[in-house]
Amino acid sequence: MVLLCLIAQHETYGYEIISQLNTTGGKIFGNAKEGTIYPILYRLEAAGYIQSRLASSTLNGGSKKYYNLTESGHLMLQELLVFWNDFVGCVNNFVASTKKNEV
Amino acid sequence: MSNKYFHRRNTYINQVKKQLSDSPGLLKRVLRDLNEIFDSAEEHGESLETVIYRLGDPKEFCAGIRAGAEGEKSVESKTSQKSHRITIGLGVITAALIISAKIFKAFQHDDYIGGADAMTQIKVFPFMPFTISAGLFVAGLFFLVATVSFYILKQKKR
């Protein structure tokens, strides 16, 4: 879901995804590694949630694979966000009731 | 960049090549991505040591990639199974409609009351502007076009 959120923000490439994950979520998720992220990207692409295009990189002469969300990727993200909000709401209720009992 | 940089980078790439030599398709994709990883890191001023540390041991890196590829195959296989079921379903509907059209046509009565050469021949105009068999045949053709279009689209996506 985090990867879909990142790709939904703007078209992005592998290195940028990993950098953003480490900058924003490194403390919680631990450092993201290519060996973990790329297989997930492959699976998301195979499932049709993301698509990629190759573009030549002017800086290093190589090419970059840019990822963006497909229509079904957007739908999946919406579903996951709804589930996530329900999940957080449910856990928060448990935490709130525990806090009341603790106080 | 120094020769030492390229030597270390190539050493890592060669180790990955060795690990994934039995999966040429996967290796091709991983090599492309690996070169992008090294190039992007260089572009962002990251040292080769940091990238190699993050990539981890080539064996472990390849094991992770292989595990991902297995998951990818399973996703592809599920999608492909669903497509097959839809294509078969559409095909069955098409066949059923065309066969029904033929059966209706065979049992259809003439629209005339009386003998064909009789003086009192009466033509009965049907309630619908077309016969049931013609309707079924047209619906069958529609499903045939839908089945072929769906099949071609799925083949193109692959």
Side-chain angles (χ1 to χ4, degrees), chain A residues 13-15 18 22 32-35 38-39 42-43 46-47 54 57 59-60 62-65, chain B residues 29-30 32-33 36-37 39-41 43-44 46 54-55 61 64-65 67-68 71-72 75-76:
Chain A
Y13 57 96
Y15 187 86
I18 289 162
N22 289 339
K33 292 181 173 185
E34 281 84 353
Y38 273 87
Y42 296 161
R43 281 206 295 267
L54 282 177
S57 172
L59 285 167
N60 55 40
S63 64
K64 277 198 180 99
K65 197 190 271 178
Chain B
R29 183 161 59 168
V30 170
R32 202 223 65 84
D33 289 338
E36 184 193 313
I37 291 165
D39 288 344
S40 297
E43 193 183 301
H44 288 82
E46 199 173 34
R54 201 175 51 239
L55 286 169
F61 173 75
I65 294 286
E72 187 186 4
V75 168
E76 273 175 354

Side-chain angles (χ1 to χ4, degrees), chain B residues 107-123:
Chain B
F107 287 97
Q108 201 174 339
H109 297 290
D110 290 338
D111 292 339
Y112 293 97
I113 297 173
D117 53 350
M119 293 289 286
T120 54
Q121 191 189 66
I122 299 165
K123 172 139 175 70

Side-chain angles (χ1 to χ4, degrees), chain A residues 1 4 44 47-50 69-83:
Chain A
M1 186 178 91
L4 289 179
L44 289 173
Y49 298 135
I50 59 172
L69 242 61
T70 60
E71 204 174 313
S72 65
H74 280 288
L75 289 173
M76 175 50 80
L77 181 58
Q78 291 310 314
E79 274 181 40
L80 289 170
L81 289 174
V82 169
F83 172 77

